[in-house]
Amino acid sequence: MSEDLWSLPAPIDAELTTPHSPAGSVTLIIPTFNEAGNIGELLRRLGDALPDHLPCAVLFVDDSTDDTPAVIEKAAAEHPFPVSVLHREAAEGGLGGAVVEGLKRADTDWIVVMDADLQHPPHLVPELVGEGERTGADLVVASRYISGGSRAGLAGSYRIAVSRGATWLTKGLFPRALRGISDPMSGFFAMRRRAVTAEALKPLGYKILLELAVRCRPGKVAEIPFVFQDRYSGTSKSTAREGLRFLTHLAALRSASPPARMIGFGLIGLSGFVPNLAALWLLTHAGMHYLPAEIAANQAGVLWNFLLIETLLFRDRRHHRHRADRIGRFALLANADLLLRIPLIAVFVATFGMAVLPATALALVTTFVLRFAATEALVYLPRTARKSHTAGRHTKS
């Protein structure tokens, strides 16, 4: 990834501030994608809102394909607070990935995240930080869903319904992690830098607050109300594709623990019966003998399972091995399951005297657990982890 980082009025290097940032200092991280029409007004309103006693620096993390970085450079010269821009040529992780890049460069007491389109009112930035200092909270969320808040700026009943539905879904999936957060879809919040471990974050798309709350588990949470405004300029970045990325992100977060991954693995395996049976019906009705048709149809289920597991369970572990290698190993393990199950049933019946039905059920459970463990270890375990483990054994011996 190629990056271009510059700052006005003073040049900066790897971090936005020095290790001796004053108490209560703030880095305002603003991810941008083709927001040239909003920059001047945004910085003007920030200039009006930021009090002199609040040490604040603004970092734009930019994925634009237009002249947004040049517009930021020109507008920044007119303001007394430090303004920097980090331009990413590869927009890895989307808006959430942009925020994580900003987090890695910030070394202030507080991080405030907001959008550039002015739907998040700049005058609330000091109030977010002030609420955190007053209450001792690690995370302060600007919420549309508490008294005094409103989602008025959402365009149309469809977007309102989608936003509300996404809120209910996320709170239902993560009741403990999102306790005290009425608006987990908010993109406007303040967080103490010490409560964030940037390396633990694996964002996908634009719902970075959800990622931070689930993976970093901040201690105390506070909220302030805000009225979601109309866009100042440009068009919304919310698309059907972003909606799919959001659902994928939810699945990845929910399956982060081994038990949750195993449950997801089993549910995906069950769903594989649909393409398996559909392929079997098509092949037998086309005149193929049922035995080779069974084998061929099983591969349809294997492919279905592989695609879902790749997307929903192991998205962040796909890059250490070539795709053809992964699918070859996965298919081998999935088909070996058939070969292992019958001998296991025979052992359970002949050696342990079990009836055929419970022996079959036990064999299914056993091969499922073995297949899950083998898939995780042989298909998706990073090579570096295995090499490190091996090196550790050699050192001890």
Side-chain angles (χ1 to χ4, degrees), residues 77 110 162 177 218 232 253-254 273 281 311 336 351:
W110 286 93
V162 168
Y232 182 77
L253 283 173
R254 186 63 276 175
F273 282 113
W281 184 87
T311 304
T351 305

Side-chain angles (χ1 to χ4, degrees), residues 124 128 140-144 183 186-190 222-226:
L124 290 181
L128 282 168
V140 184
V141 178
S143 173
R144 298 164 290 182
D183 192 357
S186 176
F188 192 19
F189 57 90
E223 293 187 318
I224 66 169
F226 91 105

Side-chain angles (χ1 to χ4, degrees), residues 41 52 70 148 188 190 207-208 217 235 257 272 280 284 317 348 356 397:
E41 182 64 15
D52 294 336
F188 192 19
K207 298 305 178 186
I208 186 61
R217 300 295 176 105
T235 58
S257 67
L280 180 63
T284 52
R317 298 197 197 178
F348 292 151
V356 172
S397 62

Side-chain angles (χ1 to χ4, degrees), residues 60-377:
F60 291 95
V61 185
D62 181 68
D63 296 331
S64 297
T65 55
D66 65 0
D67 62 343
T68 296
V71 172
I72 294 172
E73 180 177 7
K74 181 179 179 181
E78 302 172 4
H79 299 279
F81 47 85
V83 177
S84 308
V85 65
L86 168 67
H87 179 71
R88 308 192 305 165
E89 290 188 2
E92 295 177 8
L95 181 149
V99 172
V100 172
E101 287 299 323
L103 287 171
K104 291 176 180 178
R105 287 164 169 77
D107 186 24
T108 49
D109 284 353
W110 286 93
I111 305 292
V112 175
V113 176
M114 67 183 298
D115 291 344
D117 55 17
L118 292 162
Q119 291 189 298
H120 299 156
H123 72 267
L124 290 181
V125 170
E127 190 172 333
L128 282 168
V129 177
E131 183 70 7
E133 294 285 2
R134 185 182 66 80
T135 61
D138 291 321
L139 172 66
V140 184
V141 178
S143 173
R144 298 164 290 182
Y145 301 126
I146 60 175
S147 178
S150 168
R151 52 181 181 264
L154 283 173
S157 57
Y158 170 75
R159 282 198 63 196
I160 291 174
V162 168
S163 176
R164 207 35 155 161
T167 299
W168 288 337
L169 178 60
T170 53
K171 288 184 71 66
L173 287 173
F174 307 100
R176 291 171 59 188
L178 299 179
R179 185 182 293 117
I181 302 177
S182 64
D183 192 357
M185 299 294 99
S186 176
F188 192 19
F189 57 90
M191 198 168 188
R192 292 186 192 271
R193 182 63 184 86
R194 67 170 186 245
V196 183
T197 304
E199 291 71 23
L201 301 174
K202 302 170 185 176
L204 179 65
Y206 57 97
K207 298 305 178 186
I208 186 61
L209 173 60
L210 174 65
E211 174 80 9
L212 283 162
V214 172
R215 295 201 192 272
C216 295
R217 300 295 176 105
K220 185 174 181 180
V221 177
E223 293 187 318
I224 66 169
F226 91 105
V227 177
F228 195 67
Q229 305 291 308
D230 293 326
R231 284 185 64 91
Y232 182 77
S233 176
T235 58
S236 172
K237 308 303 188 297
S238 296
T239 61
R241 183 180 179 184
E242 283 297 329
L244 290 174
R245 293 179 79 182
F246 167 66
L247 294 175
T248 303
H249 187 203
L250 280 183
L253 283 173
R254 186 63 276 175
S255 61
S257 67
R261 278 199 302 276
M262 184 177 287
I263 292 171
F265 190 86
L267 292 174
I268 289 171
L270 287 174
S271 74
F273 282 113
V274 175
N276 191 326
L277 293 175
L280 180 63
W281 184 87
L282 288 172
L283 292 171
T284 52
H285 276 70
M288 183 180 287
H289 189 272
Y290 77 91
L291 286 178
E294 286 275 7
I295 297 171
N298 189 59
Q299 309 318 305
V302 168
L303 180 60
W304 170 270
N305 291 344
F306 174 78
L307 292 173
L308 287 185
I309 284 168
E310 284 262 298
T311 304
L312 302 179
L313 295 186
F314 295 108
R315 180 184 64 84
D316 57 335
R317 298 197 197 178
R318 297 180 305 189
H319 306 297
H320 68 278
R321 197 183 298 280
H322 192 275
R323 186 183 181 90
D325 188 9
R326 297 196 307 274
I327 193 170
R329 287 167 177 259
F330 185 87
L332 183 64
L333 290 170
N335 285 288
D337 174 62
L338 295 173
L339 299 176
L340 179 61
R341 198 182 308 154
I342 294 174
L344 265 180
I345 294 171
V347 169
F348 292 151
V349 172
T351 305
F352 299 103
M354 295 178 67
V356 172
L357 204 58
T360 301
L362 182 57
L364 281 168
V365 172
T366 303
T367 55
F368 163 73
V369 173
L370 289 174
R371 186 152 53 91
F372 170 74
T375 299
E376 190 160 39

